[in-house]
Amino acid sequence: MKKNIIAFALLLTSPVLYAQSLNIQGKMANLKDSANVVLIDGVSNKELSASKSVAGNFTLQAQLAYPSLLVLSIDGVNQKLPVFVGNENVLIEGDAQNLAAMNVTGSVSHEVYKVYMNELNPKMMPYVTNMQAASQEKNTAKKDSLNKVAAIQSKEVIATFKKLSKANAASPVTTLMLLQFSNIFPEVKENLSTIYDGLEASAKKGPFAEFIDKTIASSAFGQIGTVLPDFTQADVNGKPFTLSSLRGKYVLVDFWASWCGPCRAENPNIVKAFNKFKTKNFTVLGVSLDQDKAKWLEAIKKDGLAWNHVSDLKYWNNAVAAQFGIQSIPASFLIDPSGKIIARDLRGADLDKFLEATIK
């Protein structure tokens, strides 16, 4: 989903006169002639514009309803370049083989994007590294030590996020950051509505605000003690699979995707729980928000996800995700043998602890 966890930008309100459309001019060294350069919507994953390079130059144009997170993709270049822009005149210069060092000018939002990167990445990346190490560590003492360090690091990240979000409460990118951090940190998710209420009206427009509005509106759905609605989707072989076919078991209904970095980082924890409790009436049902079946199947195999999987391959338009109000992943519901929800969004050691205390 994101190699760089904090691949976001901040758009400040200012008296800048914006262009009628987004106009990107690219000037890059080591860019082959006739290379296909594509601008992709970071929310819908749809192509907005495409161009062929000529002598290292290219032009991209698009009409945006709101400032948004976009991704620049170049044939033959493994890296992707995220930019958060509106209808502006933007110049991108640098080396096509080093997009991370690309110079982006003409966009107020991208200038503040650099501030976010500089302040949050140095704190976020060590946290992610420790969380991944803890999920794979077998020694209990070392695992606990890694988790304690990660807990301290998470508080530093959240404190930095709160500082930046308060300073930029009018920005739609603050809304994006809130959406992402509510997915990563339970503390932020628990206070999602309160934090969102503190943002200004200009930050409550566009796709990220719509995601949060839907999340808040559907927060009553899936309360502990209620029955999780039944659903049916195609499995990896294209055959219909129904949740209720697993009645009589404890089931973790896990929403994930092959492109979701935090999901892939969490998978070792779920695999561990599955292997530990699969003989004790426990299983997992994966619901994928993928759209590329080959990548979906590859991730299942690579991560060793030896349980049932379903998907309609419609990305964020997955019918079950929409039905359940899923606005960010990973997300999960743990149901008991009767289908009642007994826990939500258990991650890391919390999943193992809850199952240990619940399944006898």
Side-chain angles (χ1 to χ4, degrees), residues 205-252:
K205 300 176 182 179
F208 311 123
E210 290 176 5
F211 275 127
I212 292 181
D213 285 335
K214 290 178 181 178
T215 298
I216 294 173
S218 63
S219 60
F221 175 90
Q223 291 184 345
I224 306 300
T226 63
V227 174
L228 189 68
D230 199 12
F231 62 84
T232 300
Q233 277 198 349
D235 65 13
V236 294
N237 297 312
K239 297 181 180 180
F241 187 92
T242 302
L243 172 63
S244 58
S245 68
L246 299 175
R247 283 288 188 268
K249 292 179 177 290
Y250 289 91
V251 183
L252 181 72

Side-chain angles (χ1 to χ4, degrees), residues 133-147 272:
S135 70
Q136 298 172 7
E137 180 59 61
K138 296 182 179 180
N139 182 279
T140 301
K142 291 182 179 179
K143 179 186 286 289
D144 289 343
S145 177
L146 287 167
N147 282 327
K272 179 183 176 181

